[in-house]
Amino acid sequence: MNYFKLQLGCVAIILYIIIVYVKEYRLLGLLKNIKPFHLLLAMGLVSVIFDGATAYTVNHIPQVGETCNMIMHLLFLLSLDTFIFLVYIYMLYITRGIPKSKKRRCLIFLPYVINVVVVIANIPELEYRTGVYTNYSMGWSAYTCFAMALIYIALSLINFMGRWVYIENNKRWSIINYLLIMAAITIYQTIYPEVLLSSLCVTTILLGTYVKLEDPAVNQLKQYHEEMIMGFATLVENKDGSTGGHIKRTSSYVRL
């Protein structure tokens, strides 16, 4: 239990977010309209679960066997890679949209695909080391995973800063804060691999994204606000067509 207490706590937080989110939007409605955040939530949960599994297996290799331990590490690294990649896709989605050009899409996927190939190819050479407090694993599979994470974090920050003026003020600092926290944890984990903080990184991103960007209550309040504006515009339009139309057109321009 001591080896994966952090992961258990992170799983509990992510499950709470998922339960509240699904309860608000209904499962059927979410399945009909899948968005990047839904994939982010699902992969974040999978990544933290496998993180906890590897924390257990790497400390109990005689009991679980080296093959089981290697498979758990492979699944963890691939799920973490996928989560980091989805964070970047989500950043594109909320700032400028997913590129429609096939060439640009290929460039976006390239580091992820290369990393997946390297991780799978080098997983048999993964080294399991004994630390002061816990055992851990290192090797090219782990190093490339961390390198890809830093690449996509950097790309997310560049994309975010490029769209800074188009993002609401109350969301700017929240997004940049959890991206920087994500970068700091990744760098620290690379230098001190024994700390096993990957699950904390995943949970911080999901929590920050949920609270500032995807909270159902806040989104519903925004919807009510827009409906109220349109209601007033319609009311004015009944009295003065040009003024009511102007309000609606202005609202559309602002949304664009």
Side-chain angles (χ1 to χ4, degrees):
M1 181 69 74
N2 291 330
Y3 301 116
F4 50 88
K5 282 183 178 180
L6 175 62
Q7 288 84 355
L8 283 176
C10 290
V11 166
I13 294 171
I14 296 172
L15 282 175
Y16 173 77
I17 295 173
I18 292 174
I19 290 169
V20 173
Y21 192 80
V22 171
K23 184 180 178 182
E24 186 66 30
Y25 287 117
R26 308 291 183 186
L27 182 59
L28 188 60
L30 293 176
L31 292 175
K32 287 181 178 178
N33 186 25
I34 296 177
K35 297 179 180 179
F37 181 68
H38 305 161
L39 301 176
L40 204 61
L41 269 178
M43 191 50 62
L45 180 61
V46 171
S47 174
V48 173
I49 289 173
F50 281 127
D51 190 7
T54 57
Y56 176 83
T57 59
V58 78
N59 285 283
H60 296 84
I61 292 180
Q63 291 83 10
V64 301
E66 290 188 7
T67 301
C68 176
N69 186 45
M70 183 177 67
I71 292 172
M72 287 298 104
H73 276 82
L74 174 63
L75 293 174
F76 164 61
L77 291 172
L78 291 179
S79 61
L80 184 60
D81 285 340
T82 305
F83 176 80
I84 300 297
F85 175 69
L86 289 174
V87 169
Y88 178 60
I89 295 297
Y90 180 77
M91 284 293 113
L92 288 177
Y93 177 75
I94 65 172
T95 53
R96 65 177 71 230
I98 309 299
K100 295 181 180 179
S101 166
K102 288 185 179 180
K103 185 177 180 180
R104 292 192 66 187
R105 286 189 177 186
C106 289
L107 289 174
I108 288 172
F109 274 89
L110 188 59
Y112 172 69
V113 173
I114 292 173
N115 186 71
V116 167
V117 171
V118 173
V119 168
I120 295 173
N122 290 278
I123 200 70
E125 282 75 41
L126 204 62
E127 299 175 7
Y128 305 104
R129 303 174 184 175
T130 302
V132 178
Y133 304 103
T134 181
N135 298 339
Y136 60 95
S137 59
M138 288 305 295
W140 280 108
S141 292
Y143 288 130
T144 53
C145 178
F146 295 141
M148 195 212 74
L150 290 173
I151 288 172
Y152 277 116
I153 292 169
L155 290 175
S156 296
L157 282 168
I158 291 169
N159 175 71
F160 176 74
M161 297 306 294
R163 304 292 292 178
W164 178 269
V165 296
Y166 302 108
I167 300 172
E168 295 174 38
N169 189 50
N170 66 317
K171 295 177 181 178
R172 291 173 181 171
W173 294 109
S174 172
I175 295 172
I176 200 167
N177 280 338
Y178 71 66
L179 283 176
L180 290 175
I181 289 171
M182 182 179 173
I185 292 176
T186 303
I187 293 171
Y188 192 78
Q189 175 79 61
T190 306
I191 299 172
Y192 303 103
E194 187 183 349
V195 295
L196 305 179
L197 292 178
S198 301
S199 59
L200 187 61
C201 177
V202 172
T203 307
T204 300
I205 292 170
L206 290 178
L207 192 59
T209 302
Y210 175 78
V211 170
K212 281 296 182 181
L213 299 170
E214 299 290 344
D215 188 345
V218 174
N219 289 337
Q220 192 173 46
L221 191 62
K222 287 181 179 179
Q223 183 180 349
Y224 289 155
H225 183 260
E226 290 179 2
E227 290 175 356
M228 184 175 66
I229 291 175
M230 288 299 103
F232 279 124
T234 302
L235 184 65
V236 172
E237 195 171 23
N238 291 332
K239 297 289 184 181
D240 183 351
S242 61
T243 303
H246 172 69
I247 293 173
K248 290 182 178 180
R249 288 191 297 273
T250 302
S251 297
S252 298
Y253 288 141
V254 169
R255 189 176 295 108
L256 287 172

